[in-house]
Amino acid sequence: MKRLRDIPWLVPIVGALFIFTVIAAIIWYQRSDPFIDNGLTVYTDPVDNYKVYTIEVFNKSKSDIDIQSVTVNGEKIPDYIQLGISYSGRLVQFFGDQTDPATKLMDLQDASIQPQLSAQEIQAILSGKVNLKKPTPIYY
């Protein structure tokens, strides 16, 4: 009979623990590896023979990402690095003087990488159906 009296206290504790575990798992899943790279392009300057590597990235999380630093091949720091943001339907690519004017290149700390827009949002922005007061970043 004593065991039956202890069970009502056990049910709320187990229920709260279960709910806490589910919430923690959802938060962990949403925050795990939200920064995805989606391709690489290489521009070689014909005159000076230097190379510029452009890596397309996007943010799968629901919050902004700030890049603090970049290393290559484990621990090497690049000579020069910038964040490129495209405000047009074109991907961010560097072509020297022929780089798309709607692509802005800046220091890493000058902007955050916002969550990726859906295809419908991108289409609405590019077609002009959405009246925006400031340019919206589409690609990084």
Side-chain angles (χ1 to χ4, degrees):
M1 207 59 168
K2 186 177 180 181
R3 284 187 173 175
L4 291 177
R5 280 187 264 156
D6 291 341
I7 290 178
W9 292 102
L10 187 61
V11 172
I13 293 172
V14 170
L17 185 61
F18 177 75
I19 290 171
F20 175 76
T21 304
V22 169
I23 291 172
I26 290 171
I27 291 171
W28 173 81
Y29 179 75
Q30 288 180 346
R31 292 182 177 256
S32 65
D33 205 14
F35 195 60
I36 309 296
D37 71 275
N38 198 30
L40 171 75
T41 58
V42 180
Y43 168 78
T44 303
D45 184 84
V47 176
D48 296 329
N49 262 350
Y50 65 86
K51 290 186 178 184
V52 176
Y53 295 90
T54 305
I55 301 172
E56 179 189 358
V57 294
F58 57 93
N59 178 359
K60 295 291 275 188
S61 72
K62 297 187 185 307
S63 60
D64 292 354
I65 293 177
D66 293 320
I67 300 176
Q68 301 298 318
S69 65
V70 174
T71 58
V72 180
N73 295 334
E75 58 193 44
K76 296 178 185 173
I77 298 173
D79 294 333
Y80 189 68
I81 188 159
Q82 287 186 309
L83 176 63
I85 301 176
S86 174
Y87 296 95
S88 67
R90 295 183 178 179
L91 297 176
V92 174
Q93 292 181 321
F94 182 81
F95 292 117
D97 294 338
Q98 297 175 349
T99 301
D100 182 17
T103 298
K104 304 297 178 206
L105 300 172
M106 60 193 72
D107 288 333
L108 289 178
Q109 290 78 19
D110 289 348
S112 298
I113 297 178
Q114 298 174 359
Q116 183 182 21
L117 300 173
S118 69
Q120 293 83 9
E121 290 172 321
I122 292 172
Q123 186 63 33
I125 290 169
L126 295 177
S127 66
K129 292 180 182 176
V130 178
N131 188 10
L132 301 171
K133 296 187 189 228
K134 63 180 185 170
T136 301
I138 297 177
Y139 296 111
Y140 297 89

